[in-house]
Amino acid sequence: MSFISSYKHLEKLCGEVMDDRRCISAYIEEMERTPHGAFCVPSWNDDLKALNHYRRVRNQIAHEPDCDEDNMCDEADVLWLDQFYSRIMNQNDPLTLYRKATTPH
């Protein structure tokens, strides 16, 4: 699977999960608005940084001349996107983990 295919796959899932047409951007904004996320979820900051990075990469590929998958990303980037997709599906993503950690039992 290519970077753009993996990104689109994750984009669609985020749109469904967030019930928002802004998809990954909505997920990122929810993370940025969530107080103390990094205190409750160890991977919070790394995930937020990666999501922002991959959104920028996707935008560069889509909008800037001479930017394409071959010179902007590699298999590790595709792997991260696919793994994050799986984490959402398995309810092991940052926002779900945060909700689990902060919801009284």
Side-chain angles (χ1 to χ4, degrees), residues 2 5 14 26 32 35 39 46 50 53-54 58 75 77 79 90-91 98 102:
S2 71
S5 293
C14 286
E32 291 171 343
F39 295 108
D46 291 336
H53 169 73
Y54 290 126
R58 180 262 173 212
E75 284 299 314
D77 300 319
L79 181 62
N90 294 317
Q91 298 183 338
Y98 178 83
T102 58

Side-chain angles (χ1 to χ4, degrees), residues 58-76:
R58 180 262 173 212
N59 288 340
Q60 287 178 306
I61 291 170
H63 301 292
E64 292 185 21
D66 302 322
C67 288
D68 58 37
E69 292 185 46
D70 293 334
N71 63 17
M72 295 295 296
C73 44
D74 59 31
E75 284 299 314

Side-chain angles (χ1 to χ4, degrees), residues 7-28 51 84-85 88 93 95:
Y7 189 91
K8 287 179 182 179
H9 202 59
L10 180 59
E11 180 93 321
K12 183 177 185 306
L13 180 61
C14 286
E16 292 168 0
V17 168
M18 301 302 295
D19 192 27
D20 192 311
R21 291 179 36 220
R22 295 172 302 129
C23 306
I24 290 176
S25 292
Y27 194 99
I28 289 169
L51 286 169
F84 196 79
Y85 180 95
I88 292 175
D93 62 286
L95 290 177

Side-chain angles (χ1 to χ4, degrees), residues 34-49:
T34 301
H36 312 297
F39 295 108
C40 297
V41 180
S43 66
W44 188 273
N45 288 333
D46 291 336
D47 289 331
L48 181 57
K49 181 178 177 180

